[in-house]
Amino acid sequence: MEQSSIYSNVINNGATAFVEQYYKIYDTNRGYIDGFYKENSAILWNGNPFSGITKYKEFTQKLPVSTHKVETFDCQQVIGSEKSIMVNVNGEVSYSDHSTKQFHQNFILMPDMEKQGNYYVAHDCFRFV
Amino acid sequence: MGRYNPENQYLNLENINNDPALGDKRGLVDLNKSEKLGQVICKLIKENFPDVKTISFANNNLRNLRALSKLHQWLPDVMNLSFQNNQLATLRDIEPINGDKFTGLRELVISENPVKDKEMQKFGNFENLKSQIKSMFPSLLILDNEELPEGISFDVGKNINSKTLPLQIMSSFVDSDVTANTIQDFIVKYFTLFDTNRVGLLDLYDDNALFSLSINNNIPSWRKRFERGNMSNWKAYDRNFKSTRQSLRDNLLSKGKNAIIQTIAKLPSTKHPLEDNSKFIIDSWQINVAPQQILIYLNISGEFKEVDVKLNKSFSRTFLIAPSQPQSNAANAGWAYTIFNDQMTVRPWSGNKSFDKAKANPIQIDISGSAKMLNNNNNNSNTSNVFNAAAQLNTNIPVSNGPLEFTPLQLQEQEQLRIQHGLNEIQHQQVQELSRQTRLTYLYSIQCLNEFQWNFASALEGYQKVKNQVPPDGYYH
């Protein structure tokens, strides 16, 4: 019981740090966004699928400058997995053309087998809602 | 003057004639008496609060709105107006607010005016009033906290795709027909039970399943800010990390099917408009979370009516779903799948304007009817497509479009057998699919599935072994 509560704290803290870093880099330093993903990441942006970070990064370079305001986030351990985490985010995003939209974004974070202790975004589903 | 809230871009002009700041001029600011006074006020607002989006003229004893007939010229960006608790008696009293030219107007409040009482006496509801107001104010979306019926509208100028975004918004995304069939089945059954009998969802959740809820109070910028979103009925279960203390988070995560049902049974009653496909956006694909574990990753956003307060709310929900194991509670209860993870976000209503005009993706899902699969054969040879874990997953929900079409007579006979054997809808579909794939009759297909505890894959495999022993009348010809 104690063990699991320690692990849930690790997950909660990890997810909190991830959400903070992710949107900060997306909004201010998008050239580094590939650090969160890998070539086998599945990324969906408003119904447009990207297989792997290379193609998605090309796309993000064309997106106008953004400001994400996170209103809610929450995380859960993925049942049936070794150590995967599901992170759920809702908020508002403004682009430099002054359009403001609400968004829902969900991430599946998985341990990176090639780098001990590292996680990466294995699945990413983003929608204007 | 303390009446303007810059954060919400909200100007409160309620009961202005009694404002203590007027001193001995109190009682002289009567908007009924002078149209000129109205113009002066509009000008003052424009000069002092050019960013205003929402104005409340509540409690001003207004008998008509002639004084505000130029409001749209001075303040074309205002989106929300309240005339709550005034003396407006007919639609003609409201007409001076020029709806045809006030194209940014989204929300109007006229509650507590005689016009509403008269409508209620005459018609017993506000449907007539709603459609009259909609034709006077074509851009209006909400009247007195209720969504207005969609008028006839054209795409011009309403393009959801901002010019500067490099890609179009696309409709619901599904990676394969197998996924589409499964989630279509899942969504309709899950939300029907969620609306009518949440306890009935018990066996659908895995023994280790997790559920948590986040409450987003933010009202979309294009809607008004007269009030907070009124999420109070949901607040007790809010696990939002932005607002919930760390020490409480463990308790706000429901673990296991019993705890989950206890939590969701206490949430306010809902009604999801499943009959209207356009109100939902669904993204789903298969994911591999462990060597032997493939899950369906399902994201759905849309709306429901919160029944007790008669207001619409918007929601987003993410499920991770696994095929149900033979002999599990889910399988025994006739579910082909089981829920591992369930995350829900509820927020003030924001409608479907972010996605309802989106361009169609190749595989479409239609929760209001049966699947419409376009480009069914569109298996392009893009081997690096990480979205297609596909077809490895057997959720027992068969892909339709099998080789065999049933005749009306056969369908009639099947319905009788279905009732005789007390089959539920999932079982019925399994039987039909087995029949399609093997040409076994409906009755023989029932017997075959029965022998294999309604596990479709086992039944199909079992059939292959004994097919030489099936008598000729065991087949459809």
Side-chain angles (χ1 to χ4, degrees), chain A residues 73-75 77 97 106 127, chain B residues 162 164 170 212 239 283 341:
Chain A
F73 74 97
D74 174 33
C75 71
Q77 182 189 355
D97 64 344
N106 193 283
R127 267 289 172 192
Chain B
S162 158
T164 51
M170 300 293 284
S212 55
R239 192 181 186 240
D283 294 317
N341 292 78

Side-chain angles (χ1 to χ4, degrees), chain B residues 159-178:
Chain B
N159 195 347
I160 55 171
N161 289 300
S162 158
K163 284 187 198 83
T164 51
L165 294 178
L167 275 176
Q168 282 195 310
I169 310 297
M170 300 293 284
S171 68
S172 293
F173 173 91
V174 189
D175 64 346
S176 67
D177 295 339
V178 179

Side-chain angles (χ1 to χ4, degrees), chain A residues 1 5 8-9 11-13 15-16 39-52 55 59 62-64 69-82 84 86-92 95 97 99-108 110 122-129, chain B residues 160 162-173 206 208-216 218-221 225 239-242 246 249-250 253 281-283 285-290 293 295 297 299 301 316-318 320 340-345 347-348 350 354-355 361 382 384-387:
Chain A
M1 197 64 201
S5 119
S8 79
N9 272 343
I11 289 181
N12 292 355
N13 294 338
T16 305
E39 274 321 314
N40 65 347
S41 301
I43 306 151
L44 192 73
W45 185 89
N46 278 307
N48 297 275
F50 296 89
S51 290
K55 286 177 198 151
F59 162 72
K62 295 184 214 147
L63 261 185
K69 190 171 160 239
V70 173
E71 297 283 347
T72 71
F73 74 97
D74 174 33
C75 71
Q76 293 180 1
Q77 182 189 355
V78 173
I79 301 301
S81 76
E82 194 56 34
S84 299
M86 180 159 97
V87 181
N88 196 48
V89 184
N90 262 235
E92 212 168 63
Y95 294 101
D97 64 344
S99 57
T100 297
K101 293 157 195 296
Q102 300 212 105
F103 72 91
H104 161 75
Q105 189 162 20
N106 193 283
F107 302 93
I108 306 287
M110 291 187 181
H123 300 272
D124 168 358
C125 182
F126 178 94
R127 267 289 172 192
F128 295 145
V129 291
Chain B
I160 55 171
S162 158
K163 284 187 198 83
T164 51
L165 294 178
L167 275 176
Q168 282 195 310
I169 310 297
M170 300 293 284
S171 68
S172 293
F173 173 91
D206 186 78
N208 297 310
L210 298 174
F211 168 82
S212 55
L213 171 70
S214 289
I215 304 304
N216 178 355
N218 185 42
I219 301 179
S221 54
R225 301 189 185 240
R239 192 181 186 240
N240 177 13
F241 278 31
K242 298 267 294 187
Q246 198 149 359
R249 286 176 197 163
D250 217 35
L253 179 64
I281 188 84
I282 297 154
D283 294 317
W285 63 92
Q286 296 181 20
I287 73 175
N288 211 322
V289 296
Q293 189 71 68
L295 302 177
Y297 179 43
N299 286 274
S301 293
S316 293
R317 212 149 168 182
T318 306
L320 288 175
F340 279 5
N341 292 78
D342 178 0
Q343 274 178 333
M344 181 179 189
T345 310
R347 58 180 180 274
S350 62
S354 293
F355 50 76
N361 255 315
N382 181 3
S384 67
N385 186 355
V386 296
F387 283 92

